[in-house]
Amino acid sequence: MTYSLPARVPGYIQRLHHQYSQDGTNSLRDLIAASRILVIEETISTWDDDHGHDIQLFVPLEVLSKIDIDAQETVTERICEDLNKLGASTPNEFFRAVRLDVNHENDPDSQRATPVLSGPVPGLTYDPDSLPIWKRGMVRLFISHRDTYKSQTNELARALEPYGISSFVAHDTIEPMTQWRAEIRKGLETMEIMLAFVTDDFHKSVWTNQEIGFALARKIPVISLKLEQRDPEGFIDEQQALKGRLDAPAASVQDIYNLLAESLGNRERLQSGLISAFVASQSFPQTINCFKRMAEVVDRLSHDEVKRISDGFAANDQLHKCSYLTGSQRLCDFLKRTTGSYSFSIEGKEIIEIPW
């Protein structure tokens, strides 16, 4: 038997998402927006020939965990009640129940379910600094690549970090036991710029092509790094690709940094990333490398940027105990050169500003 209600469920769910957005029921709005939906037809038939259907909503763990377990029944009853209001004009059919389950890639029912909404999820936003996939305060670069070249991509990501650039490399950036599709989507939704790691088989992957499309839809700049013979294809073939070496991807770091500055159109943002990398240093060699990168490209520091450096210097013993910075005038000279109005001295953990 063919039923009418199941075919109408996607439209009803989207209607509920809009309604919950309008009336400020944000928890239900976000739940709906993140869900994948599966309709289970005719789970019950009554004596008077009415037929009931169940709705199963598969939700990412980080969204579902925001709903208290004791409140989950109330939430599903509310959604079921609202669905029945929308479907009231369909004779002899109704929604019997709504169930919530964790979306998991190994669950066949979860994979049969379809997303409620396509494109970036409306009303569901993430604070990039709260996500473990990014280094706090740094420029967020999503590297789209074939998994065959994961080690080369990681080599490039490590070389970019001293420049204040935090790179998302799928599977390695993602923490164990997280749902990798959801984490990739978070990376795509919060990236500031994308780099296409273009190997000869780059465009043969559904994932890399979708990632490029996601960036273009968000109007995110895409830099192409051509590492073998084939050129970038599709919409990203309009701009000249940067040529690199697959056996030495880190050799392109300086050129990538310059293109990032040009593509972002915001050197202050890159400068902020350099400062973040410097104050977060975890070793003396890293401190030296980060300082050299910062000294190479920074011409001017604001009062707030000087304060960030001073606060970071005082809090991080890999800075205030680093003789490369403190045993000479390197750090003080850098601060003096980039402010123009002050002289500086170092006393223990403190950087002291000395006005003219």
Side-chain angles (χ1 to χ4, degrees):
M1 180 175 179
T2 303
Y3 297 102
S4 299
L5 271 188
R8 297 174 182 173
V9 168
Y12 288 166
I13 291 289
Q14 291 186 30
R15 171 76 185 279
L16 290 185
H17 175 265
H18 180 74
Q19 179 65 41
Y20 297 150
S21 299
Q22 292 278 42
D23 63 21
T25 316
N26 295 341
S27 60
L28 289 180
R29 176 202 65 190
D30 293 350
L31 179 73
I32 292 292
S35 295
R36 297 172 64 89
I37 187 168
L38 182 66
V39 181
I40 304 171
E41 297 186 18
E42 198 181 9
T43 53
I44 188 173
S45 295
T46 66
W47 62 270
D48 54 353
D49 204 32
D50 285 345
H51 305 280
H53 313 294
D54 287 2
I55 304 294
Q56 202 158 354
L57 296 177
F58 292 94
V59 188
L61 179 60
E62 65 269 20
V63 177
L64 189 58
S65 62
K66 294 179 181 178
I67 299 174
D68 191 275
I69 293 175
D70 293 334
Q72 191 164 303
E73 185 177 352
T74 303
V75 168
T76 54
E77 287 177 352
R78 163 74 186 276
I79 296 173
C80 190
E81 180 183 344
D82 290 342
L83 284 171
N84 278 313
K85 289 177 184 177
L86 294 174
S89 61
T90 302
N92 303 114
E93 291 184 61
F94 64 97
F95 297 107
R96 185 185 73 117
V98 173
R99 298 197 302 273
L100 299 179
D101 288 294
V102 175
N103 187 18
H104 196 282
E105 61 183 278
N106 294 326
D107 184 340
D109 285 341
S110 176
Q111 293 313 298
R112 285 197 298 124
T114 56
V116 171
L117 301 172
S118 59
V121 178
L124 184 61
T125 58
Y126 306 99
D127 174 12
D129 282 339
S130 71
L131 298 177
I133 58 176
W134 301 117
K135 297 289 178 65
R136 189 178 184 87
M138 296 188 187
V139 174
R140 301 182 297 278
L141 174 71
F142 189 107
I143 304 181
S144 181
H145 68 290
R146 295 301 305 267
D147 56 2
T148 314
Y149 304 101
K150 186 167 60 176
S151 62
Q152 292 93 330
T153 312
N154 277 317
E155 179 185 337
L156 177 61
R158 287 192 297 270
L160 285 167
E161 189 169 325
Y163 287 84
I165 298 164
S166 176
S167 301
F168 181 97
V169 179
H171 302 299
D172 274 13
T173 304
I174 297 169
E175 293 183 344
M177 302 305 292
T178 59
Q179 297 180 25
W180 61 269
R181 282 189 178 93
E183 295 302 292
I184 289 174
R185 180 141 186 168
K186 288 179 185 177
L188 291 168
E189 289 181 352
T190 54
M191 65 182 170
E192 294 176 88
I193 195 160
M194 174 177 280
L195 184 136
F197 198 83
V198 182
T199 48
D200 284 350
D201 59 351
F202 179 81
H203 290 287
K204 294 179 182 178
S205 165
V206 171
W207 292 101
T208 54
N209 287 323
Q210 288 187 349
E211 288 162 0
I212 294 295
F214 205 112
L216 295 174
R218 283 193 56 213
K219 296 181 171 57
I220 293 293
V222 179
I223 293 173
S224 296
L225 180 63
K226 177 183 171 183
L227 295 142
E228 294 186 293
Q229 299 303 312
R230 293 191 64 172
D231 292 326
E233 300 174 6
F235 289 110
I236 61 172
D237 73 348
E238 298 175 353
Q239 295 183 340
Q240 181 71 35
L242 179 66
K243 291 184 179 180
R245 292 168 50 195
L246 192 56
D247 63 338
S252 302
V253 165
Q254 187 64 57
D255 291 331
I256 291 171
Y257 179 86
N258 292 333
L259 273 178
L260 281 171
E262 181 181 333
S263 299
L264 282 176
N266 189 347
R267 282 196 174 270
E268 288 183 0
R269 177 67 186 97
L270 279 171
Q271 188 163 298
S272 175
L274 287 168
I275 295 171
S276 294
F278 175 69
V279 300
S281 173
Q282 297 179 357
S283 68
F284 293 147
Q286 187 178 358
T287 295
I288 294 169
N289 287 334
C290 288
F291 176 76
K292 286 180 177 178
R293 303 286 183 266
M294 189 167 60
E296 280 176 8
V297 298
V298 174
D299 296 322
R300 187 76 180 170
L301 288 171
S302 68
H303 176 77
D304 288 342
E305 288 169 332
V306 172
K307 187 176 187 306
R308 282 183 62 197
I309 292 172
S310 297
D311 291 346
F313 183 86
N316 189 344
D317 63 1
Q318 299 303 305
L319 302 185
H320 62 249
K321 290 184 178 180
C322 179
S323 60
Y324 183 85
L325 301 179
T326 60
S328 68
Q329 290 295 307
R330 284 189 182 92
L331 180 56
C332 291
D333 289 347
F334 166 71
L335 294 173
K336 179 179 179 180
R337 172 175 65 81
T338 53
T339 58
S341 301
Y342 299 95
S343 193
F344 294 84
S345 66
I346 294 175
E347 297 181 9
K349 299 180 181 180
E350 290 190 66
I351 297 175
I352 309 297
E353 297 184 7
I354 305 170
W356 287 109

